[in-house]
Amino acid sequence: MPKYFYLKYDMCDKNFAVTDATEQNSNFKMLHVDHMEAVSILFADVVGFTKLSSSMDARELVELLNDLFGQFDDLAKNNNCLRIKILGDCYYCVSGVPDPISDHADNCVKMGLDMCNTIKRFQRSTSPDLNMRVGVHSGHVFSGILGSKKFQFDIWSTDVTIANHMESGGVAGWVHISEATKRHLKADFTCYNGNGVERDTFLRTMNIKTYFIKPEEHVTRSPRFLRSRFKSTAVPFGKHSIDLLRNCTTTRLTERRATIDSVLTEGEDTLDKQIKEKIEESLNRTSKQQQADTPEKKIRRDTFSIVDTHSDLNPYFLYFNDISLEKKFHNVPDKSFKYYIFSSWIVHLSIFIVQMIVHTSAVAIYFFIGGTIVMAVLDSFYWLYLLQYADFAPFKSQKVREGLAFFSDKIVGNIFVRYLVSVVVIVIVMASATINLSTCCEVGSLEFRKTLCDFNQSLSSAVLQCPAFNEFFNESKNQFVTNCVKCQNPQYFIYNAILAMLVPSMFIGLNWIFKAVMNVFGFFLYVGLYLTFRSFFNQWDLRHSGVCTNVQAYVPLIERGIYWMLIEFLALVLFERVIERTNRIGFIWRHHSIIKNEEHQLARDDHTHLLHNILPSHVAEHYLHDATQGELYSNRHPNACVMFASIPGFDTLYSEDDINHMGMEWLRLLNEMFHEFDMLLEQPEFAGVEKIKTIGSTYMAATGLKESDTVNDYHIYTMALFSFALREKLKEISYNALNDFEFKIGINTGPVVAGVICAEKPLFDIWGDTVNVASRMESTGATGETQVTKNVEIALTRKSLQLRHKGAVFCKGKGELEVYLLITPQEYNI
């Protein structure tokens, strides 16, 4: 289908064909049809193709069709035409859709002339009997799709019917145009009297005056750029048609250059040298641009573009200016949070070990045990992983484990809970670094010790030799040491504090400002405690400062500790800012990557959905998973079953008057019918039925296209049941529409060739004599009857279905054929 239509109506939407609630009657399904005025329609038929195809195998036939119709698609592009459908060997297109253009008639006429010239090239390489019969008419059309399965873009209107009869009433090798088309021509074409009314009854009824245009008198330049069959560069449909193949641009450049080279080497139709140079210059320039834009450069450019565009961070506080992005950043679950708590506990344990070695205290033991319990509970997500292997009875309970898992998920998934838990853990560790200060004894101040030292120095050596005084001094010294031995190494309180201030930085996933605030809190907490209990530190200073010789040059331990913690604080703040920025840029990249992956997956799902709606499921899977790049799909099915089902008289109801909204109501009813018919395909018993196409009000389907369905001719039986279901559904629609529509159905079975042709607008179709006979079964049948061939009768009789012999019927190209009528079982309300 055209790209504009695909985008306009969102064809990938799973609810594409749902009820249209905007319409006055909400019972109708959504109608996706546009009305276009002033267009020209071209129908072209390949004369002699049926005879040629009968002598070719499946792959040769599909390659021929792909090459021929691929060239027609190229011609349509060159002439501003839009290909609508391919019906067997019939090709039709329109000019003036979707955008109105004034020279639509000229475009279709040039298209027809190019097609006639193109088929002559095929005559030399395939068969001299091949020719083109082309008809063109101008008017208005409705364009769109009907039904809900196997979408196929189509056009409808009385002018489309006239264009079809312009082709059937034409002559091979000539372009047959109507009077309406001749009036719209702007170019100077030589026209001859066509006398179409003598060859076609419908043209005679509509009193259409026609003309011929001879291709030899209007040679165009377009065919010179076409591909020969043996040097075909037609890109067969594959994964690239759903944006899954790479290097498409490079392939197109190569194809275009190869095409030009092949044309220039031919002896006929030589191009002008200047034209060649200009084209080569354009190709080389495009090629250099493609080579310069390598995938690596593109990825690098896109990466920096992501950062420049989305990482709009505040340079001072490192938060996103986009509030929604900031919320997403904070709401991301931190799966590493358990490791932060566990690392904090390691620091907590290290501090406890130091305290036990340097300053043993019952308070420190109790505080360590309590803090460990709290952190173990808060870190239950990590402990749950370890405890699931434990043999302890409490942890074997499923409820216990579920409770731990629930609690842990709350901690990991809620940003406020994570901050609260982190505050508790940080405070526990910071408090553990100085908890032993509460157990230290009071000692003399530094000033007192300095005074004592000065007093000692003022005593004479004689007095110091006094045994009584010496005994008194030693006793006082021993008493002092006994009472204050627990605080003789207060420097370890500072070391533990420096270690504890590392804990906020271990919570990498938290905001750097929060961690800086916690470090500030710890810094002032320790400074306040050291100043409050400075007498303990003064004692250490007296022992290690040499105060009896040079007191003024010594820096007290508290001041040194403050300097150390201040330097550590500044270093940690810088480190945390770097981590924060890295986390946020990483989040941006992940966020962008997730969005791109979701978009890519959504596009892939949509394209897969659409692909399954334009191709049979097994063919779609072939291109999605099995096909190699550039591989054509073709297959010969030896025992397929083909059905044509038409609604006689329905086309006569079409009228372009105000009551029917210029034919829109006819299309709405036809859309309802096709939609209901398509819904039957979703029933399990009809899983093997493939809708091939719709032609006007005719519904074409086939079974046996999957080898597994042909066992014991079950696929023929399935087609018979499907015909019953179609007739039953049509009767229901007729009752609601206050009409008496009936089907005329023809069924045949035999070998067919199935394949996909044309790259840009892939088309699945089946070809072969079996298809032609099935069509003849429908056209020669009677309204309300299902007419089948002898082979179908044999298969259905084995399945206990009743048939009645009708007799011999003449079929064009086959002569007299014995046919049978299928009798409807009583369980069907027909």
Side-chain angles (χ1 to χ4, degrees):
M1 67 192 65
K3 183 178 180 180
Y4 88 92
F5 194 85
Y6 167 87
L7 297 175
K8 179 178 179 180
Y9 290 107
D10 192 10
M11 301 294 294
C12 289
D13 188 358
K14 307 300 187 296
N15 298 319
F16 169 76
V18 298
T19 301
D20 187 1
T22 62
E23 297 290 339
Q24 294 180 354
N25 189 347
S26 60
N27 292 325
F28 284 109
K29 304 298 184 297
M30 187 77 74
L31 184 63
H32 302 89
V33 172
D34 297 326
H35 183 230
M36 302 298 299
E37 297 281 358
V39 301
S40 290
I41 310 105
L42 177 146
F43 275 80
D45 185 67
V46 183
V47 180
F49 178 80
T50 302
K51 180 180 179 181
L52 175 64
S53 63
S54 61
S55 61
M56 305 175 69
D57 62 23
R59 180 164 294 277
E60 288 178 342
L61 177 60
V62 172
E63 287 179 351
L64 174 62
L65 290 171
N66 181 72
D67 195 11
L68 178 61
F69 291 135
Q71 293 188 30
F72 288 169
D73 283 347
D74 290 343
L75 289 174
K77 280 186 177 181
N78 294 338
N79 291 294
N80 286 326
C81 293
L82 177 67
R83 189 250 282 177
I84 302 301
K85 254 184 185 180
I86 298 174
L87 302 175
D89 56 1
C90 179
Y91 184 102
Y92 67 100
C93 60
V94 62
S95 182
V97 176
D99 300 320
I101 51 179
S102 59
D103 55 348
H104 54 85
D106 295 69
N107 292 336
C108 279
V109 170
K110 292 177 181 177
M111 173 72 181
L113 296 172
D114 288 345
M115 295 174 82
C116 291
N117 289 326
T118 300
I119 203 66
K120 292 178 181 179
R121 299 168 63 87
F122 271 79
Q123 289 176 350
R124 294 194 294 268
S125 60
T126 54
S127 171
D129 296 331
L130 284 183
N131 214 329
M132 293 299 300
R133 188 171 58 237
V134 181
V136 181
H137 177 66
S138 301
H140 79 98
V141 298
F142 291 99
S143 61
I145 66 171
L146 300 180
S148 59
K149 301 290 183 184
K150 301 298 184 290
F151 300 139
Q152 288 188 357
F153 188 77
D154 208 345
I155 54 177
W156 307 269
S157 72
T158 301
D159 293 318
V160 174
T161 305
I162 294 175
N164 189 8
H165 285 273
M166 289 297 298
E167 176 271 316
S168 60
V171 175
W174 293 72
V175 177
H176 195 205
I177 68 171
S178 65
E179 176 71 23
T181 300
K182 186 174 182 296
R183 288 197 303 267
H184 286 88
L185 290 177
K186 295 184 178 181
D188 187 15
F189 292 95
T190 302
C191 298
Y192 301 91
N193 187 13
N195 296 321
V197 294
E198 298 178 359
R199 294 180 299 275
D200 190 273
T201 304
F202 182 82
L203 296 179
R204 183 166 56 253
T205 303
M206 299 295 294
N207 194 26
I208 304 296
K209 188 174 182 180
T210 65
Y211 300 88
F212 279 131
I213 299 178
K214 192 175 182 179
E216 288 79 0
E217 298 179 358
H218 301 278
V219 178
T220 59
R221 187 175 293 270
S222 298
R224 301 179 182 182
F225 294 93
L226 296 177
R227 304 153 294 194
S228 70
R229 181 187 175 197
F230 301 105
K231 294 182 180 181
S232 175
T233 55
V235 182
F237 173 66
K239 294 186 180 181
H240 60 287
S241 296
I242 54 170
D243 298 328
L244 297 179
L245 294 181
R246 303 184 297 268
N247 302 325
C248 292
T249 304
T250 304
T251 302
R252 287 195 295 268
L253 289 173
T254 304
E255 291 171 357
R256 290 163 58 191
R257 179 175 282 107
T259 301
I260 294 173
D261 291 341
S262 64
V263 173
L264 291 176
T265 56
E266 294 181 3
E268 57 182 4
D269 299 336
T270 304
L271 289 178
D272 184 82
K273 183 177 180 181
Q274 294 181 353
I275 297 178
K276 175 188 174 182
E277 292 176 352
K278 290 182 179 180
I279 294 176
E280 287 292 338
E281 180 183 355
S282 174
L283 291 176
N284 290 331
R285 182 171 57 254
T286 306
S287 179
K288 290 179 180 180
Q289 292 175 354
Q290 294 296 329
Q291 293 174 1
D293 193 15
T294 61
E296 292 78 8
K297 291 183 179 180
K298 187 176 186 298
I299 293 174
R300 191 180 302 113
R301 183 181 64 250
D302 292 345
T303 300
F304 285 106
S305 175
I306 294 171
V307 177
D308 294 340
T309 304
H310 298 281
S311 61
D312 189 10
L313 295 175
N314 183 283
Y316 304 106
F317 300 103
L318 297 181
Y319 60 80
F320 293 118
N321 294 328
D322 186 349
I323 298 178
S324 62
L325 194 60
E326 184 72 18
K327 289 181 179 179
K328 290 180 180 179
F329 176 74
H330 286 297
N331 290 333
V332 174
D334 192 350
K335 298 297 184 181
S336 299
F337 194 77
K338 55 184 176 292
Y339 300 114
Y340 307 156
I341 300 179
F342 185 72
S343 300
S344 302
W345 179 80
I346 296 297
V347 176
H348 185 53
L349 176 63
S350 301
I351 293 174
F352 171 72
I353 293 174
V354 172
Q355 290 175 336
M356 292 299 98
I357 295 174
V358 177
H359 188 169
T360 304
S361 165
V363 174
I365 295 175
Y366 296 147
F367 193 85
F368 170 75
I369 295 175
T372 299
I373 294 174
V374 172
M375 283 189 279
V377 172
L378 297 178
D379 200 22
S380 57
F381 188 88
Y382 176 77
W383 291 111
L384 179 63
Y385 173 77
L386 297 179
L387 295 175
Q388 64 181 334
Y389 302 104
D391 293 330
F392 301 108
F395 304 117
K396 291 183 179 180
S397 172
Q398 184 66 21
K399 292 184 178 180
V400 172
R401 294 186 179 184
E402 290 178 356
L404 290 173
F406 174 80
F407 184 69
S408 302
D409 289 340
K410 289 298 182 181
I411 295 176
V412 172
N414 191 301
I415 183 63
F416 299 105
V417 175
R418 292 204 301 269
Y419 274 107
L420 179 61
V421 170
S422 61
V423 169
V424 173
V425 172
I426 293 171
V427 170
I428 289 174
V429 177
M430 285 185 171
S432 68
T434 56
I435 192 66
N436 269 351
L437 277 174
S438 62
T439 64
C440 290
C441 60
E442 290 292 339
V443 297
S445 64
L446 178 61
E447 289 74 11
F448 172 79
R449 296 291 293 170
K450 289 169 63 178
T451 302
L452 179 61
C453 185
D454 293 338
F455 173 75
N456 289 337
Q457 289 179 345
S458 65
L459 295 178
S460 63
S461 58
V463 175
L464 290 175
Q465 295 299 324
C466 177
F469 183 81
N470 190 43
E471 183 180 352
F472 168 75
F473 181 81
N474 290 332
E475 183 179 351
S476 301
K477 181 178 178 180
N478 291 334
Q479 185 66 34
F480 173 80
V481 172
T482 300
N483 293 338
C484 299
V485 69
K486 293 182 180 180
C487 294
Q488 63 182 353
N489 294 305
Q491 72 274 20
Y492 287 100
F493 290 117
I494 297 178
Y495 301 155
N496 285 340
I498 293 174
L499 186 61
M501 287 181 64
L502 294 174
V503 172
S505 299
M506 293 179 178
F507 290 82
I508 297 176
L510 300 182
N511 186 270
W512 75 277
I513 297 178
F514 165 78
K515 291 183 283 188
V517 169
M518 294 305 298
N519 277 327
V520 170
F521 164 77
F523 176 80
F524 284 105
L525 172 67
Y526 294 139
V527 171
L529 289 174
Y530 297 158
L531 294 178
T532 302
F533 298 95
R534 65 183 303 166
S535 57
F536 306 144
F537 298 90
N538 291 338
Q539 172 195 355
W540 191 89
D541 288 330
L542 288 173
R543 294 200 307 270
H544 297 83
S545 63
V547 293
C548 295
T549 57
N550 189 13
V551 178
Q552 303 301 326
Y554 180 74
V555 178
L557 180 61
I558 292 180
E559 294 182 18
R560 280 185 283 167
I562 293 175
Y563 296 152
W564 295 339
M565 288 188 294
L566 184 60
I567 293 174
E568 180 191 27
F569 168 74
L570 295 176
L572 290 176
V573 168
L574 294 177
F575 171 76
E576 290 159 1
R577 277 181 57 86
V578 172
I579 294 298
E580 180 79 7
R581 182 172 179 83
T582 302
N583 285 344
R584 288 180 176 265
I585 292 178
F587 167 77
I588 294 171
W589 287 12
R590 290 192 301 272
H591 179 70
H592 181 80
S593 176
I594 290 173
I595 292 177
K596 287 299 181 182
N597 287 338
E598 289 176 351
E599 292 175 352
H600 175 74
Q601 186 61 42
L602 180 61
R604 182 181 177 87
D605 292 343
D606 288 344
H607 289 152
T608 301
H609 169 73
L610 183 61
L611 190 62
H612 279 274
N613 239 333
I614 62 177
L615 299 176
S617 298
H618 66 284
V619 180
E621 291 300 319
H622 169 82
Y623 282 113
L624 288 173
H625 303 295
D626 301 330
T628 58
Q629 182 172 354
E631 181 184 353
L632 280 170
Y633 174 82
S634 61
N635 198 5
R636 180 176 290 274
H637 302 278
N639 190 24
C641 186
V642 183
M643 181 202 72
F644 284 84
S646 66
I647 308 175
F650 185 80
D651 292 344
T652 61
L653 297 178
Y654 179 83
S655 62
E656 298 177 352
D657 51 27
D658 293 337
I659 297 178
N660 289 303
H661 295 88
M662 297 303 294
M664 185 67 77
E665 296 306 315
W666 181 86
L667 288 173
R668 193 182 305 281
L669 179 57
L670 187 60
N671 182 57
E672 290 294 310
M673 289 181 176
F674 286 163
H675 181 86
E676 294 299 327
F677 301 158
D678 290 345
M679 290 299 101
L680 293 175
L681 300 176
E682 295 186 356
Q683 298 181 11
E685 59 267 31
F686 301 135
V689 180
E690 291 292 346
K691 175 185 176 182
I692 304 301
K693 66 180 74 170
T694 57
I695 311 164
S697 60
T698 300
Y699 197 92
M700 178 184 176
T703 58
L705 300 183
K706 291 185 289 186
E707 300 303 326
S708 59
D709 297 335
T710 61
V711 179
N712 297 326
D713 292 332
Y714 184 78
H715 64 294
I716 302 177
Y717 177 71
T718 300
M719 182 62 80
L721 297 183
F722 184 66
S723 68
F724 298 148
L726 282 177
R727 294 177 61 188
E728 189 175 45
K729 182 61 67 175
L730 182 61
K731 183 176 182 180
E732 178 183 335
I733 296 174
S734 299
Y735 177 80
N736 294 330
L738 303 179
N739 215 310
D740 55 351
F741 301 123
E742 284 194 84
F743 267 124
K744 183 171 63 171
I745 299 176
I747 301 176
N748 185 30
T749 183
V752 300
V753 173
V756 177
I757 59 175
C758 300
E760 295 190 2
K761 291 192 289 182
L763 171 71
F764 175 83
D765 208 346
I766 56 177
W767 303 270
D769 190 59
T770 301
V771 179
N772 297 332
V773 173
S775 177
R776 298 289 185 263
M777 289 295 101
E778 177 272 325
S779 61
T780 59
T783 302
E785 294 181 349
T786 299
Q787 186 168 274
V788 303
T789 59
K790 178 64 176 179
N791 291 335
V792 175
E793 185 269 339
I794 294 174
L796 295 182
T797 301
R798 294 171 182 168
K799 302 296 181 182
S800 301
L801 289 180
Q802 296 182 358
L803 296 97
R804 186 177 76 248
H805 183 250
K806 182 179 179 180
V809 174
F810 176 79
C811 294
K812 182 180 178 181
K814 300 297 292 184
E816 298 287 336
L817 293 179
E818 294 293 326
V819 297
Y820 299 80
L821 299 180
L822 183 60
I823 300 176
T824 305
Q826 295 181 355
E827 59 263 27
Y828 289 93
N829 183 24
I830 301 176

